[in-house]
Amino acid sequence: MTEKELEQYFGKLLDKQKIFHFKGNPGGLKGYPDRLVFADKIYFCEIKLGKKEGSYYKQTPMQKWWQDKIENSNGTYVLLIGKEQIESFVEKLKGES
């Protein structure tokens, strides 16, 4: 599985639960979160495949910069590493809707 496929999987899980979301980087901003999710609040979600899948799994400096900007503006930034964390996050959202 690639990171792109994992992000698509995340989108399908959200669609199945009828949770509105969209790709988070409309202007091609470096490091901006992968997906915005509108549930009980707005979540800025960064998706990482994870080292279990042999992929880079840490945030880049620009991703950390965006996380700081989002959190300092009272936004909710979520780093999701791998399929299990994505599934757990969607289950949590499902329970809150």
Side-chain angles (χ1 to χ4, degrees):
M1 178 177 277
T2 66
E3 200 163 280
K4 180 179 179 179
E5 291 169 331
L6 184 61
E7 187 184 343
Q8 290 171 344
Y9 174 72
F10 182 42
K12 287 178 183 176
L13 288 179
L14 293 167
D15 287 344
K16 191 174 181 178
Q17 297 303 320
K18 297 182 175 26
I19 297 171
F20 180 70
H21 62 95
F22 61 88
K23 196 148 180 61
N25 200 346
L29 298 169
K30 193 171 179 106
Y32 195 79
D34 296 312
R35 195 155 290 273
L36 273 67
V37 177
F38 293 74
D40 59 316
K41 56 185 161 186
I42 300 171
Y43 295 91
F44 296 80
C45 299
E46 179 61 37
I47 312 274
K48 295 288 184 188
L49 195 53
K51 90 175 162 180
K52 186 171 154 182
E53 296 292 328
S55 179
Y56 184 73
Y57 64 98
K58 294 183 180 176
Q59 290 174 287
T60 65
M62 281 305 295
Q63 288 169 337
K64 289 180 182 177
W65 185 86
W66 276 109
Q67 179 179 4
D68 288 343
K69 291 293 177 200
I70 291 164
E71 289 176 345
N72 287 334
S73 300
N74 292 321
T76 303
Y77 184 95
V78 181
L79 176 61
L80 298 168
I81 302 172
K83 197 173 182 179
E84 291 172 6
Q85 284 189 12
I86 283 174
E87 290 169 350
S88 177
F89 179 70
V90 172
E91 276 299 311
K92 174 186 170 271
L93 294 179
K94 180 180 157 186
E96 293 175 359
S97 58

